Amino acid sequence: MNIKAICLGTFALSMLGGVALAGALDEPFNMEPFFTDSGMKTMKSSADFETAWKATPKKTQSAMMKECNDAAMSKPHAQFCAQLFALGHHS
């Protein structure tokens, strides 16, 4: 019974930890406006990307910029961050 409780506790903690690690760039709701397809594989054109960026709330923009400026956080979203930086949006 102790092993079962330990495994269940470990699983619960890992699920909570995974949620805590998700950032603004990992939220589909935040990222969908920048892609042409529902699978979020094809980025919009530069003009459409900038329009989507301007429509993004400032709080979300700040969180996204913070993650793009962090090498480890931005690695999975390199294409998005490169497009953002190409538009001159970096700190």
Side-chain angles (χ1 to χ4, degrees):
M1 185 111 150
N2 272 343
I3 291 175
K4 191 175 185 179
I6 290 170
C7 289
L8 185 59
T10 302
F11 177 73
L13 287 174
S14 69
M15 293 302 291
L16 289 173
V19 170
L21 294 176
L25 298 178
D26 295 319
E27 290 292 329
F29 178 78
N30 293 339
M31 299 300 285
E32 284 174 352
F34 300 98
F35 292 87
T36 61
D37 58 330
S38 60
M40 292 191 281
K41 301 290 182 200
T42 306
M43 297 282 294
K44 288 187 174 180
S45 69
S46 292
D48 290 339
F49 184 96
E50 187 161 21
T51 300
W53 179 252
K54 289 177 180 177
T56 302
K58 295 293 182 196
K59 185 177 179 179
T60 304
Q61 284 182 357
S62 295
M64 292 172 131
M65 285 304 307
K66 182 178 178 182
E67 289 179 31
C68 278
N69 285 315
D70 181 324
M73 292 291 286
S74 67
K75 191 172 185 175
H77 306 284
Q79 182 185 16
F80 172 85
C81 293
Q83 182 75 11
L84 194 61
F85 294 155
L87 293 173
H89 299 291
H90 51 81
S91 54

